[in-house]
Each structure stands twice: as C-alpha cells, then as structure tokens.
Amino acid sequence: MARRISRWGRRLALGAAALLAADALVTPVQAGSRLLGTGGVTQIEGAAGGGLSPWGVLAGTASDTEVAVTVAASEAWLDDYGLRVRGVGVNWHDRVELSYARQRLALDTLGGVLAQDIYGVKLRLFGDPLYHPWGSWSLGVQHKRLDQGQALARAVGAKSTQGNDLYLAGSKLFFDAVAGRNLLANLTLRSTRANQGGLLGFGGDRDSGRSLVAEGSLGLFLTPAWVVGVEYRQKPDNLGFAQEQAWQDLFTALFLTRHLSLTGAWLDLGDIAGLENQRGGYLSLQLAL
C-alpha cells in the first residue's frame, strides 16, 4: 500500500502542477457566480457532493445563467483493495447536472479487477444551500453497469450486473453555527439494489428487491476555502456469503482556487467480500471550468 501511495503522490504532484498551469490559463474566465465550495467536490460516483455521497448541490459554481464543467481523479488505498475513479460532470444553469464516472477496484488480496461505468442525472428541485430556509434539494438517478468482473458478481450471488439508483438529496449551509464558523449539512435518501455500490452487482440471494438507505454528512468551514467533516453511507445487505456494512469517513477539502480543489479522507468501509476492516486513505483532485 505504501508503494501505491508513493506512486499516487508522484502522480498527484505532476497532476497538481499541470492543473495549476491550466488554472493560470483559465483564471480570466468566469468559473461561475456562486460562492466558492457551494458545489462540493466530485464523489466516487461522479455526482457533485462529498467523497462517498451525492449532495443536493450541483457541480461547480455555475449560476442560473451559466454552465460549469468539472473533471476529477480519485484514488483510495484500502488494506486489501485499491479503488481508482475518474469522473466528469456538467452543470447546466444550476438546474440540471449530467455526470459520468469510471470505477476500477483492484482486488489486491483476492486477485482480479472489478470495473463499472456510472451515468448520472441530477435535477435541482428547489432551493439554495445558503439562503433558502430548507436549503437546496435535488432528485437524481444513476445507471450503473458492471463490465469487468461480471463472473465474480454472479458467483457470489448477484442477480444482475447492472441497475439504477434513485436518490433525493438536500444540502443546507448554516451560517455562524459553530464558534463563528459555517456548517454544511447534507442528507441523502437512496433507493438501490447495488452490492458494494454496484461493484459486486445488484440484488442477491438474501434480498433481490430495492432497499431505502440513508446517507449524511457534516462539514465545518474553518475558513471560506477549507472544510473538514464526516460522512456516513448506509448500504443494503443482499448477499448471503458476506455481510455488507456502512461506509464512513473523516475528510478535509481545500478549495485552492475557483478552478482547483483537493480532497483527502480517512476511509472506513467495513468488511468487503469477506475481508474485514477495510480502511485506508483517499485523495481526489478536481478541476472546475
């Protein structure tokens, strides 16, 4: 794992240098009129939010007359797995978000690779995270298709290798909430059949129907450009061969400029496919235009 982190560290340094150079070129261009950080970051399924969960906000800082594009590269290093995610999102007039993510999970201990594509659409229903009393609320759908590791998913009891997640997400920023600092709260309700987010297929021998699960996070802005917080993501338990547990993390995100953000986290993803206590680090670099 140390070697993987070292390699990613070198890639991160090169990527940051390239993105800073790109940022210098695009700085004269308006990145959007909304306040810094109000689009969250790119989560592991491509939507705007935290690392683990989509939020009620839309990608970037585009207002109702603007368009925003975000691209992100993320890596996680767990005890027995390595997760790589590449994602892109488009925000049209702060009303509709289109997203795509490619996830690749390396089974370092078991051997092999699982990979899936995730296509997402999120519609902002109403509100604003800053000024509306109920915050901003959005309805989203994610179509997930496992295209590498299908045989393994079927072998452990998955009923299908593709499926759709539906979710309702709300985000609210509370001004001067803790010691004069602003607090961002997020709640997501998801209807899903996905096993381990879809990487082990959909439905199972224990339960093949849809489950309603809850996800939430709290982020405290230590400065207008630096937030620290926690996330929690409940998951269904469909497969009889191994219990599936909730995901959680401690995270920090630094919005270096309107165009560039860096997110780091300590992940606790519980037991995955019978391998216990999967914990490790997470880094994500996002460029917004």
Side-chain angles (χ1 to χ4, degrees):
M1 189 173 87
R3 287 196 296 271
R4 293 204 306 270
I5 294 175
S6 176
R7 287 197 298 271
W8 173 245
R10 292 194 294 270
R11 294 172 187 168
L12 179 65
L14 291 173
L19 289 178
L20 283 170
D23 178 56
L25 294 176
V26 300
T27 294
V29 181
Q30 270 296 97
S33 301
R34 283 163 38 207
L35 294 179
L36 190 68
T38 54
V41 295
T42 301
Q43 59 115 192
I44 58 172
E45 293 161 327
L52 297 182
S53 179
W55 295 350
V57 299
L58 303 190
T61 54
S63 72
D64 59 3
T65 61
E66 299 166 330
V67 176
V69 178
T70 59
V71 293
S74 307
E75 301 268 349
W77 307 274
L78 307 172
D79 293 335
D80 297 289
Y81 302 95
L83 177 65
R84 183 180 71 192
V85 183
R86 303 293 182 262
V88 59
V90 178
N91 176 350
W92 184 80
H93 291 187
D94 199 27
R95 176 58 63 181
V96 177
E97 175 189 283
L98 303 177
S99 62
Y100 167 78
R102 173 71 174 179
Q103 293 181 341
R104 182 183 185 276
L105 182 70
L107 312 179
D108 297 336
T109 298
L110 300 174
V113 172
L114 303 173
Q116 71 171 337
D117 295 310
I118 304 174
Y119 303 88
V121 179
K122 186 194 297 186
L123 171 67
R124 184 172 64 85
L125 300 175
F126 70 90
D128 176 272
L130 282 74
Y131 307 115
H132 194 281
W134 295 102
S136 179
W137 287 85
S138 297
L139 183 66
V141 59
Q142 294 173 336
H143 176 70
K144 302 179 178 182
R145 182 173 58 85
L146 186 66
D147 67 357
Q148 194 170 353
Q150 294 180 345
L152 176 59
R154 294 286 192 184
V156 299
K159 297 299 184 182
S160 176
T161 56
Q162 61 181 330
N164 298 314
D165 284 6
L166 304 174
Y167 65 87
L168 176 68
S171 300
K172 173 62 179 173
L173 185 68
F174 296 93
F175 294 103
D176 196 17
V178 179
R181 304 301 199 275
N182 298 333
L183 180 69
L184 181 63
N186 304 276
L187 174 65
T188 301
L189 299 177
R190 183 192 298 258
S191 172
T192 181
R193 298 174 63 239
N195 309 317
Q196 297 297 347
L199 288 165
L200 284 179
F202 302 82
D205 55 321
R206 176 181 291 171
D207 187 353
S208 61
R210 304 187 72 86
S211 298
L212 184 64
V213 293
E215 307 169 16
S217 66
L218 292 173
L220 184 66
F221 280 86
L222 300 180
T223 74
W226 180 24
V227 60
V228 297
V230 296
E231 287 185 291
Y232 175 85
R233 176 169 171 172
Q234 189 181 25
K235 306 206 314 301
D237 191 16
N238 299 326
L239 301 175
F241 91 104
Q243 183 179 14
E244 187 162 348
Q245 298 175 327
W247 289 349
Q248 48 202 324
D249 71 26
L250 299 173
F251 72 89
T252 182
L254 184 62
F255 299 94
L256 302 170
T257 72
R258 275 190 174 274
H259 303 280
L260 189 64
S261 66
L262 177 65
T263 304
W266 176 255
L267 304 176
D268 181 354
L269 304 188
D271 301 347
I272 298 179
L275 298 177
E276 298 180 348
N277 301 324
Q278 297 304 308
R279 301 186 179 100
Y282 169 88
L283 282 176
S284 180
L285 196 63
Q286 175 182 278
L287 178 66
L289 302 174

